[in-house]
């Protein structure tokens, strides 16, 4: 059975005026246009996605710096606060099978609150 061609579609980049033959998963007229759109969006400091990614990266850097430089088994909460660690910004959460405590993950590094409440254990992803 014959299907009529779909009408042309406008590129999703607001700075582009090109029209293109659509596909079901195609939003931009070219790879160059798509990259420009995403680069412009990620450059915007007011974008909440960009702000969250920056906070996650900062948290990851703080944990990596503490884990590598200080080589501590137990990290005091005061050090994490001093370094500017954001306890509310995580990528995922699991439970430590041994201690039954939650482990908050930031990409490949995890942080687990110890029973005393004032120290944390840093975990590396398996």
């Amino acid at each position: 059975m014959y299907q009529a061609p779909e009408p042309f579609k406008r590129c999703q980049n607001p700075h582009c005026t090109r029209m293109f033959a659509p596909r079901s998963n195609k939003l931009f007229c070219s790879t160059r246009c798509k990259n420009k759109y995403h680069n412009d969006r990620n450059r915007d400091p007011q974008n909440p996605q960009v702000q969250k990614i920056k906070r996650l990266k900062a948290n990851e850097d703080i944990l990596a710096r503490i884990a590598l430089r200080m080589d501590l088994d137990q990290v005091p909460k005061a050090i994490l606060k001093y370094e500017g660690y954001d306890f509310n910004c995580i990528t995922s959460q699991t439970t430590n099978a041994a201690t039954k405590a939650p482990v908050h993950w930031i990409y490949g590094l995890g942080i687990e609150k110890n029973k005393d409440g004032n120290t944390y254990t840093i975990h590396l992803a398996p």
Side-chain angles (χ1 to χ4, degrees), residues 82-95:
Y82 176 79
E83 291 286 332
Y85 185 82
D86 183 356
F87 290 92
N88 297 319
C89 194
I90 62 172
T91 55
S92 64
Q93 179 177 330
T94 59
T95 302

Side-chain angles (χ1 to χ4, degrees), residues 5-18:
E6 296 180 34
F8 282 92
K9 193 167 152 182
R10 184 172 300 282
C11 182
Q12 292 292 314
N13 185 348
H15 303 293
C16 181
T17 58
R18 290 190 201 121

Side-chain angles (χ1 to χ4, degrees), residues 91-108:
T91 55
S92 64
Q93 179 177 330
T94 59
T95 302
N96 186 338
T99 63
K100 306 292 187 234
V103 178
H104 299 274
W105 291 94
I106 295 103
Y107 303 120

Side-chain angles (χ1 to χ4, degrees), residues 50-69:
V50 173
Q51 291 174 351
K52 181 166 182 156
I53 290 168
K54 285 182 180 181
R55 283 194 310 271
L56 286 169
K57 183 65 178 147
N59 274 357
E60 182 185 38
D61 290 345
I62 290 167
L63 290 181
R65 194 169 46 244
I66 289 172
L68 295 174
R69 188 185 310 153

